[in-house]
Each structure stands twice: as C-alpha cells, then as structure tokens.
Amino acid sequence: MKPIVLSLLLILMPLLAQAITPEERGLEIAQEIERRDTGFHDFKAAMTMLLKNKHGEESLRDMRNQTLEVENDGDKTLVIFDEPRDVKGTALLSFSHKTGDDDQWLYLPALKRVKRIASRNKSGPFMGSEFAYEDISSQEVEKYTYKFIEESSYEGKASFLLERYPVDPNSGYTRQQVWVDQAQFIPLKIKYYDRKNTLLKTLVFRGYQQYLDQYWRADQMYMENHQTGKSTLLSWEKYNFRSGLSDGDFNKNSLKRAR
Amino acid sequence: MKVWFCILLLLPGFLCAGEWSGYVEGQGRYFLQDPLDSDQPDHALSLAVQPEYFQRWDNDKQSLLFIPFARWDSEDDERSHADIRELIWTYAGNGWESRVGVGKVFWGVTEALHLVDIINQTDLVENPDGEQKLGQPMLKLSLERDWGILDFYLLAGFRERTFPGEDGRLRTHPRVDTDLAGYESDREERHLDLAIRWSHFIGDWDIGLSHFNGTSRDPLFMPLSNGAGEVVLAPFYELMRQTGLDLQATKGDWLWKLEAIHRSADSGSYNAATGGFEYTLVGIGESAMDLGLLAEYLYDDRQDAATTPFENDLFLAFRLTANDVDGSELLAGIIKDLDSSAALFNLETSRRIGNLWKVSAQARLWFNVPEDDPLYPFRQDDYVEISLSRFF
C-alpha cells in the first residue's frame, strides 16, 4: 500500500504545485519573509536620512529607532529625533497593528506635551522625506494581498517578482512590485504605484548584513521619487539586536524620557 | 576607578560627557495701535537664550537635564528676566519613575485653552497666550502599570506669575505690581502643593483624571496703592482644589477632545470645560499638504463673573502642515465670544531655514472688546511678532 501512495504523491506533486494560484504563491512568499524575520525580539539602531531635491539641495535628518517585536501583532516602535535641531528631542511612539489604524503618540519637548495623533494619514511624507510612514512602519503580511508574477533576476540575484496590494483604503498606493531574493527571502527593490496607478517611487535596498546569524537588514534604503525628482537615502547604523528593551520602554513615560 | 571618578564628578554633575544644545533667538514685536499709556512703546526688540545640558548614565536609567533661560527686552524691565526651566534628575526603574528637581509638566488635549494643565506657573511676559511656563520645584513618583500610569507630585516652592512692567505692552491698566503679591496660606510661597494624576489609553481613547490641592496658579487682583502712591493691581494667590478630566478619542481623521474641571476655593467654586474636534484633510489638492480644521467650545459656569475671558466662546481655526523639507506650518483662528461682539484673532506660523535656523511669526488682534471683558485692557495692543532662532 505504502509504496503506491508514495508514488502517487510523487506523480501528483507537480500537478499540486501547478494548482497553486499566483495569489497563493505570492502569499506564501510573503509569509516566508515574515517567518524568517520573526523572533529577533528587539533592536536599537541609528537612522540618517539624506534628503535631496531635484536641484541637488540637501537636508539631513538624524534619528534613533527602538523596536520591540510583538507576538501576533505589529511591532512597537519609538523614534527619537536629533536633527534638524529645532525638533531635537521630539519622539514618536507607534503601536502598529496587523489590521486597522496604528496607535501613535507624538512627544513635543518644548511644551512637554504628548499628543495622540491621527494615524490614518499613512501616505504623507515622513519628516519631509520621500518615505511615507507606511513605507517604514512594521511590514505585516496582513497589510497586503499578494500575487506572484514571475521568477526574475535583480542585479544578478535570482528573485521572485511579486505584486502586493494594500488592504488599507487610506494607503497612497494601488500596488507595489517587490523583488524578493530567492535565497534569503529579503526585499531587494520595491516599485510604488500611486492612486492613479502611475509609477511614483522606487526603493532600492543596499548593503544587506546578517545579525544574530538570522536577521537581514539593509545598511541603506534609497528612495527615488520619479514624479518630483526628489530622493531620500536612509542609512541604518549601530544595529543592536536583543538590546534588552521591554514593554516598559514603550509607554507615555518612556516617550517623555526618550530624548 | 572609573566609577568613582564618575561619582565624584556627578556631585557637581556637569563634566561627565554630557551634551549641550539649545538656541538663541532674536525677536521683534510691532504694535499696530497707539498705546493706552503714553509711556508704553510701539515696538520692542528682544534677545533670548535657552541652553540645554543633558546627561544620562547607569544604562540610561538615570539622567540629568538642565535648561536655564534668559531674555533681554529693549523696553520692558519685567520682560527682561531669567528662569531655570528645568534642573531635574530622573530615575527610571522597572515599571516606575521618579523625578526630583525643577521640572515642567503638561496635562491636557485641547488647543484653545488648557484648563486641566496646572502644575507649572505661566511665564506671562513671554507670551500672552500663556503657553510658556516657569520651572516648578517638584518631587514626582510615577507608577507604570497595565491599568495606566499613576503620577504623584509633591510641589515645594510656589512660583509667582510674571506680568509685564510699566513700560511693557499687553498689560492691564493699572499695571500688576508683583512686589505686592499676597497669599491665603500663612506659609505663602512655601506652601506644599499636592497633585495626583491617572492616565491611560484604551484602544482609540486616551483619558486622564487629575486632582490638585494647593496654591492657585491663577491670582485674583486687588487694587492697591503702592509705596510710590501709584494705584496698582496686587496679585493674591488663594488656596484651592481642582479636579480635572481630559479625554481624547482618535477616530480616523477625527480627534475628539474634552477637558473639564471643577475648582473650589474661598472665593467660590466653579466648573469649566472646553471640547471640540480637529479634523484633518490629508493631502489636499493632491499635494503633500494636510489641512486641519479645528472647532472647540469654551464654557465656564461663572458666566460674566468668570476670571478668564472664555465663558461662552467658540474657537474656530485651521492648521496647514506643508510636510515639506522646511517643516512649514501655519495655525490661524479666532475665539469668538458668543455673548458679545468680542473676538480674538490669532496666527502662528513657522518654517526652518536649513538645519539650524528657524523663523516664526505670530499675530494677535482683538476686536470689539466691551468694557466688562477681561480682555478690555488689550484692546489697543494688536501686535505682530517675528522671531529668528539659531539652534546649536
């Protein structure tokens, strides 16, 4: 009996594989990306944004990021601003969620005021940069639906090309094309299409490094806006995984202490 | 060895690898009308400096923050003043926090008026909007629990409100003479004030409940004759108790806000509330700009006997946020008295210039203020202010 079942399975396997729809395959890849990036617990990192307009004028943003992984929900993140100097000490606390709006509080140090802010505005520029809040917030599988397009290659690396469609009606995008590295299941490039389905931006990930022998993070994320000619280079430095952050580092008191 | 070295230096506290930042600001004010008193100027220039020293140690559990402030004003001796905004040591434990020193605390959610906010005294010479505060000596203990954050405050050392001097605009007639300040408490400015606050959030809702028992930050005024035989207003600081509620519901692009207080003192007790919404239109006209529409209703059950000018008033405003590289912002609005013709127009705008400079402007205009309105003394004080700040 057993050998027959086995051989039947072997014959049917390719058929089963074929029976997976592009949507299912896209979702499987997204789930695998998330599975491989689960379990880091927390990290601290320094972020620098170099903003450039089409005339080449530059502007700098310096921030520090603290992220805590939350089981079965989006991550908790605290971003503290160091530059420009007039917003030094301003801090943003976000509890992101797999579905629905995130919870966000902004701390304004001059007034010592913590403001709960409307987080529905995901598509607006983050600190005047080419990154929207939705581009850098916790990337959860549930935030999109997916479609596998083709096996492709990006800069000589075998990759999967997926399309994903934001579930949130307040997203600034109709769709995103994502090139995913086949070996490591990490994004290499994302093309963003605006609400009119016109190509808006391209994000390229550079200088991937592996932390704790598992978690890949890009040193640089370069976002180019094709409609305005502006660009933002987001550099990540001083990654410190499992730095000892806990839930207590992500409340309104810690937001006021952050600096 | 290094630990001892640090401990030695921590006593003076200022040498162990902390960081300095802060700003210097030049400011010009121009008044659009003739003053009520011919001694008052039609314009003023001033210079302010606010350095900041910050140091943390012990795995970031402990920190020291020092923010002195000073302003020199070309016209008003009372506006030329200095203050320690903050000089505070913080210890962050696991699920609790303590702060000791001179600090600053803000409570509340509404925009037009801050009823619940009570810990710090207003530095009124800085800005007639009352948003600038003097440092308050305090001992604070805070518990961070699943059911919210509970803060206990022991406030030692009362700060008197600052008032513009004889040569300043934006003042009462007669002027307030702070040398004649009086207190209900025999301990005067040494009375110990107590405050407690619970705050929490549940889903879209943020809530705060607070109680304060101590010397009122808002003085009463008594006309007196001072040593020079001049008739002046003497501030009198009562003892009072205030219970406050602040509530915000964050529903998509809508923020619904409410602040309510009950205050009781020898001079009487009253209720006051401010409530309304801020609705944000995201990315107007396919731009990156956001337009916020604000409306709040201001109520005080003392009606015309209220010591604040906002007893039955409507605040309407818009906030334009450019979301550009320069962080350009504009907030413009009016507060309209629903019982009289009086209205107050307010405009605040700012933008960065490069990474280190910022320019900001304010305008305040008072319209049709009747004689019985607390804003009546300011009827000739419409002004425009421009500030240029350099951060370091």
Side-chain angles (χ1 to χ4, degrees), chain B residues 18 20 25 31 69 76 120 130 139 142 144 164 169 172 181 195 227 254 297 360:
Chain B
W20 284 96
E25 172 197 275
F31 294 88
F69 170 85
D76 184 357
N120 290 81
L139 195 153
S142 183
E144 301 154 10
R169 295 288 291 255
T172 53
W254 293 86
Y297 174 67
S360 51

PDB file of all heavy atoms in Angstrom, chain B residues 18 20 25 31 69 76 120 130 139 142 144 164 169 172 181 195 227 254 297 360:
ATOM      1  N   GLY B  18      28.411  64.781  29.074  1.00  0.00           N
ATOM      2  CA  GLY B  18      27.031  65.070  28.703  1.00  0.00           C
ATOM      3  C   GLY B  18      26.997  65.807  27.385  1.00  0.00           C
ATOM      4  O   GLY B  18      28.019  65.934  26.718  1.00  0.00           O
ATOM      5  N   TRP B  20      25.533  69.367  25.249  1.00  0.00           N
ATOM      6  CA  TRP B  20      24.931  70.685  25.259  1.00  0.00           C
ATOM      7  C   TRP B  20      24.189  70.917  23.960  1.00  0.00           C
ATOM      8  O   TRP B  20      24.651  70.524  22.894  1.00  0.00           O
ATOM      9  CB  TRP B  20      26.008  71.766  25.412  1.00  0.00           C
ATOM     10  CG  TRP B  20      26.538  71.908  26.787  1.00  0.00           C
ATOM     11  CD1 TRP B  20      27.666  71.351  27.299  1.00  0.00           C
ATOM     12  CD2 TRP B  20      25.954  72.670  27.850  1.00  0.00           C
ATOM     13  NE1 TRP B  20      27.830  71.714  28.617  1.00  0.00           N
ATOM     14  CE2 TRP B  20      26.786  72.525  28.978  1.00  0.00           C
ATOM     15  CE3 TRP B  20      24.804  73.454  27.965  1.00  0.00           C
ATOM     16  CZ2 TRP B  20      26.501  73.145  30.204  1.00  0.00           C
ATOM     17  CZ3 TRP B  20      24.531  74.069  29.185  1.00  0.00           C
ATOM     18  CH2 TRP B  20      25.374  73.909  30.287  1.00  0.00           C
ATOM     19  N   GLU B  25      17.639  83.316  20.300  1.00  0.00           N
ATOM     20  CA  GLU B  25      16.541  83.843  19.491  1.00  0.00           C
ATOM     21  C   GLU B  25      16.525  85.361  19.516  1.00  0.00           C
ATOM     22  O   GLU B  25      16.665  85.982  20.567  1.00  0.00           O
ATOM     23  CB  GLU B  25      15.223  83.304  20.081  1.00  0.00           C
ATOM     24  CG  GLU B  25      13.971  83.900  19.490  1.00  0.00           C
ATOM     25  CD  GLU B  25      12.761  83.637  20.381  1.00  0.00           C
ATOM     26  OE1 GLU B  25      12.171  82.573  20.255  1.00  0.00           O
ATOM     27  OE2 GLU B  25      12.425  84.514  21.216  1.00  0.00           O
ATOM     28  N   PHE B  31       3.595  96.923  17.520  1.00  0.00           N
ATOM     29  CA  PHE B  31       2.191  97.107  17.917  1.00  0.00           C
ATOM     30  C   PHE B  31       1.503  98.044  16.934  1.00  0.00           C
ATOM     31  O   PHE B  31       2.045  99.079  16.555  1.00  0.00           O
ATOM     32  CB  PHE B  31       2.136  97.650  19.351  1.00  0.00           C
ATOM     33  CG  PHE B  31       2.663  96.652  20.348  1.00  0.00           C
ATOM     34  CD1 PHE B  31       4.024  96.619  20.660  1.00  0.00           C
ATOM     35  CD2 PHE B  31       1.816  95.718  20.924  1.00  0.00           C
ATOM     36  CE1 PHE B  31       4.519  95.679  21.549  1.00  0.00           C
ATOM     37  CE2 PHE B  31       2.319  94.779  21.814  1.00  0.00           C
ATOM     38  CZ  PHE B  31       3.669  94.755  22.134  1.00  0.00           C
ATOM     39  N   PHE B  69      17.105  79.660  31.197  1.00  0.00           N
ATOM     40  CA  PHE B  69      16.529  80.526  30.166  1.00  0.00           C
ATOM     41  C   PHE B  69      16.730  81.972  30.568  1.00  0.00           C
ATOM     42  O   PHE B  69      16.623  82.312  31.743  1.00  0.00           O
ATOM     43  CB  PHE B  69      15.029  80.226  30.024  1.00  0.00           C
ATOM     44  CG  PHE B  69      14.292  81.218  29.160  1.00  0.00           C
ATOM     45  CD1 PHE B  69      14.263  81.061  27.788  1.00  0.00           C
ATOM     46  CD2 PHE B  69      13.641  82.312  29.729  1.00  0.00           C
ATOM     47  CE1 PHE B  69      13.600  81.998  26.990  1.00  0.00           C
ATOM     48  CE2 PHE B  69      12.982  83.238  28.936  1.00  0.00           C
ATOM     49  CZ  PHE B  69      12.948  83.078  27.562  1.00  0.00           C
ATOM     50  N   ASP B  76      10.851  96.599  28.234  1.00  0.00           N
ATOM     51  CA  ASP B  76      10.167  96.224  29.467  1.00  0.00           C
ATOM     52  C   ASP B  76      11.120  95.522  30.434  1.00  0.00           C
ATOM     53  O   ASP B  76      11.567  94.410  30.176  1.00  0.00           O
ATOM     54  CB  ASP B  76       8.983  95.296  29.109  1.00  0.00           C
ATOM     55  CG  ASP B  76       8.153  94.921  30.314  1.00  0.00           C
ATOM     56  OD1 ASP B  76       8.508  95.318  31.447  1.00  0.00           O
ATOM     57  OD2 ASP B  76       7.139  94.222  30.132  1.00  0.00           O
ATOM     58  N   ASN B 120       2.610  73.885  36.388  1.00  0.00           N
ATOM     59  CA  ASN B 120       3.571  74.986  36.227  1.00  0.00           C
ATOM     60  C   ASN B 120       2.880  76.342  36.157  1.00  0.00           C
ATOM     61  O   ASN B 120       1.776  76.464  35.618  1.00  0.00           O
ATOM     62  CB  ASN B 120       4.406  74.777  34.962  1.00  0.00           C
ATOM     63  CG  ASN B 120       5.366  73.631  35.099  1.00  0.00           C
ATOM     64  OD1 ASN B 120       4.976  72.479  34.938  1.00  0.00           O
ATOM     65  ND2 ASN B 120       6.605  73.926  35.422  1.00  0.00           N
ATOM     66  N   GLY B 130      -0.070  82.362  27.241  1.00  0.00           N
ATOM     67  CA  GLY B 130       0.027  81.580  28.476  1.00  0.00           C
ATOM     68  C   GLY B 130       0.656  80.215  28.309  1.00  0.00           C
ATOM     69  O   GLY B 130       0.650  79.405  29.223  1.00  0.00           O
ATOM     70  N   LEU B 139       8.826  66.916  43.402  1.00  0.00           N
ATOM     71  CA  LEU B 139       9.248  65.543  43.610  1.00  0.00           C
ATOM     72  C   LEU B 139       8.134  64.720  42.999  1.00  0.00           C
ATOM     73  O   LEU B 139       6.977  64.876  43.373  1.00  0.00           O
ATOM     74  CB  LEU B 139       9.373  65.276  45.105  1.00  0.00           C
ATOM     75  CG  LEU B 139      10.119  64.041  45.575  1.00  0.00           C
ATOM     76  CD1 LEU B 139      10.686  64.327  46.949  1.00  0.00           C
ATOM     77  CD2 LEU B 139       9.202  62.839  45.655  1.00  0.00           C
ATOM     78  N   SER B 142       6.106  58.072  39.774  1.00  0.00           N
ATOM     79  CA  SER B 142       5.193  57.617  38.742  1.00  0.00           C
ATOM     80  C   SER B 142       5.199  56.092  38.683  1.00  0.00           C
ATOM     81  O   SER B 142       6.259  55.481  38.660  1.00  0.00           O
ATOM     82  CB  SER B 142       5.659  58.212  37.407  1.00  0.00           C
ATOM     83  OG  SER B 142       4.792  57.877  36.389  1.00  0.00           O
ATOM     84  N   GLU B 144       4.017  52.796  36.495  1.00  0.00           N
ATOM     85  CA  GLU B 144       3.561  52.391  35.163  1.00  0.00           C
ATOM     86  C   GLU B 144       3.016  50.977  35.272  1.00  0.00           C
ATOM     87  O   GLU B 144       3.756  50.035  35.525  1.00  0.00           O
ATOM     88  CB  GLU B 144       4.739  52.444  34.181  1.00  0.00           C
ATOM     89  CG  GLU B 144       5.368  53.824  34.068  1.00  0.00           C
ATOM     90  CD  GLU B 144       6.840  53.788  33.647  1.00  0.00           C
ATOM     91  OE1 GLU B 144       7.320  52.719  33.266  1.00  0.00           O
ATOM     92  OE2 GLU B 144       7.487  54.844  33.732  1.00  0.00           O
ATOM     93  N   PRO B 164       3.853  91.898  32.660  1.00  0.00           N
ATOM     94  CA  PRO B 164       4.586  92.986  32.009  1.00  0.00           C
ATOM     95  C   PRO B 164       4.694  94.186  32.939  1.00  0.00           C
ATOM     96  O   PRO B 164       3.811  94.436  33.754  1.00  0.00           O
ATOM     97  CB  PRO B 164       3.718  93.322  30.789  1.00  0.00           C
ATOM     98  CG  PRO B 164       2.917  92.082  30.538  1.00  0.00           C
ATOM     99  CD  PRO B 164       2.686  91.467  31.873  1.00  0.00           C
ATOM    100  N   ARG B 169       3.907  96.463  26.855  1.00  0.00           N
ATOM    101  CA  ARG B 169       2.545  96.415  26.303  1.00  0.00           C
ATOM    102  C   ARG B 169       1.897  95.141  26.823  1.00  0.00           C
ATOM    103  O   ARG B 169       2.471  94.415  27.618  1.00  0.00           O
ATOM    104  CB  ARG B 169       2.601  96.405  24.772  1.00  0.00           C
ATOM    105  CG  ARG B 169       3.166  97.656  24.175  1.00  0.00           C
ATOM    106  CD  ARG B 169       2.223  98.843  24.281  1.00  0.00           C
ATOM    107  NE  ARG B 169       1.043  98.737  23.452  1.00  0.00           N
ATOM    108  CZ  ARG B 169       0.865  99.414  22.320  1.00  0.00           C
ATOM    109  NH1 ARG B 169       1.794 100.224  21.883  1.00  0.00           N
ATOM    110  NH2 ARG B 169      -0.263  99.294  21.626  1.00  0.00           N
ATOM    111  N   THR B 172      -2.375  95.121  31.985  1.00  0.00           N
ATOM    112  CA  THR B 172      -3.587  95.743  32.496  1.00  0.00           C
ATOM    113  C   THR B 172      -3.323  97.212  32.809  1.00  0.00           C
ATOM    114  O   THR B 172      -2.183  97.648  32.911  1.00  0.00           O
ATOM    115  CB  THR B 172      -4.035  95.040  33.788  1.00  0.00           C
ATOM    116  OG1 THR B 172      -2.930  95.029  34.691  1.00  0.00           O
ATOM    117  CG2 THR B 172      -4.484  93.612  33.511  1.00  0.00           C
ATOM    118  N   ALA B 181       2.502  90.932  45.935  1.00  0.00           N
ATOM    119  CA  ALA B 181       1.788  89.651  45.903  1.00  0.00           C
ATOM    120  C   ALA B 181       1.407  89.188  47.313  1.00  0.00           C
ATOM    121  O   ALA B 181       2.192  89.314  48.253  1.00  0.00           O
ATOM    122  CB  ALA B 181       2.657  88.594  45.241  1.00  0.00           C
ATOM    123  N   ALA B 195      -0.409  66.889  44.057  1.00  0.00           N
ATOM    124  CA  ALA B 195      -1.204  66.581  42.867  1.00  0.00           C
ATOM    125  C   ALA B 195      -1.073  65.100  42.557  1.00  0.00           C
ATOM    126  O   ALA B 195      -0.071  64.454  42.893  1.00  0.00           O
ATOM    127  CB  ALA B 195      -0.740  67.416  41.676  1.00  0.00           C
ATOM    128  N   GLY B 227       3.907 101.822  47.444  1.00  0.00           N
ATOM    129  CA  GLY B 227       4.723 102.749  48.210  1.00  0.00           C
ATOM    130  C   GLY B 227       4.880 104.111  47.544  1.00  0.00           C
ATOM    131  O   GLY B 227       4.960 105.145  48.213  1.00  0.00           O
ATOM    132  N   TRP B 254     -10.433  62.074  12.603  1.00  0.00           N
ATOM    133  CA  TRP B 254     -11.058  62.932  13.607  1.00  0.00           C
ATOM    134  C   TRP B 254     -10.405  62.742  14.972  1.00  0.00           C
ATOM    135  O   TRP B 254     -10.222  61.623  15.420  1.00  0.00           O
ATOM    136  CB  TRP B 254     -12.544  62.579  13.755  1.00  0.00           C
ATOM    137  CG  TRP B 254     -13.379  62.884  12.561  1.00  0.00           C
ATOM    138  CD1 TRP B 254     -13.575  62.084  11.475  1.00  0.00           C
ATOM    139  CD2 TRP B 254     -14.139  64.077  12.334  1.00  0.00           C
ATOM    140  NE1 TRP B 254     -14.413  62.710  10.584  1.00  0.00           N
ATOM    141  CE2 TRP B 254     -14.773  63.934  11.086  1.00  0.00           C
ATOM    142  CE3 TRP B 254     -14.337  65.253  13.070  1.00  0.00           C
ATOM    143  CZ2 TRP B 254     -15.602  64.920  10.556  1.00  0.00           C
ATOM    144  CZ3 TRP B 254     -15.169  66.230  12.539  1.00  0.00           C
ATOM    145  CH2 TRP B 254     -15.792  66.064  11.290  1.00  0.00           C
ATOM    146  N   TYR B 297     -15.598  74.478  21.801  1.00  0.00           N
ATOM    147  CA  TYR B 297     -16.488  75.340  22.554  1.00  0.00           C
ATOM    148  C   TYR B 297     -15.920  75.507  23.956  1.00  0.00           C
ATOM    149  O   TYR B 297     -15.488  74.537  24.577  1.00  0.00           O
ATOM    150  CB  TYR B 297     -17.899  74.726  22.605  1.00  0.00           C
ATOM    151  CG  TYR B 297     -18.834  75.500  23.490  1.00  0.00           C
ATOM    152  CD1 TYR B 297     -19.239  76.793  23.137  1.00  0.00           C
ATOM    153  CD2 TYR B 297     -19.309  74.959  24.677  1.00  0.00           C
ATOM    154  CE1 TYR B 297     -20.078  77.519  23.962  1.00  0.00           C
ATOM    155  CE2 TYR B 297     -20.161  75.679  25.512  1.00  0.00           C
ATOM    156  CZ  TYR B 297     -20.531  76.962  25.147  1.00  0.00           C
ATOM    157  OH  TYR B 297     -21.357  77.687  25.966  1.00  0.00           O
ATOM    158  N   SER B 360       9.883  82.269  12.798  1.00  0.00           N
ATOM    159  CA  SER B 360       8.475  82.105  13.139  1.00  0.00           C
ATOM    160  C   SER B 360       7.819  83.471  13.307  1.00  0.00           C
ATOM    161  O   SER B 360       8.491  84.471  13.590  1.00  0.00           O
ATOM    162  CB  SER B 360       8.308  81.249  14.387  1.00  0.00           C
ATOM    163  OG  SER B 360       9.119  81.726  15.421  1.00  0.00           O
TER     164      SER B 360
END
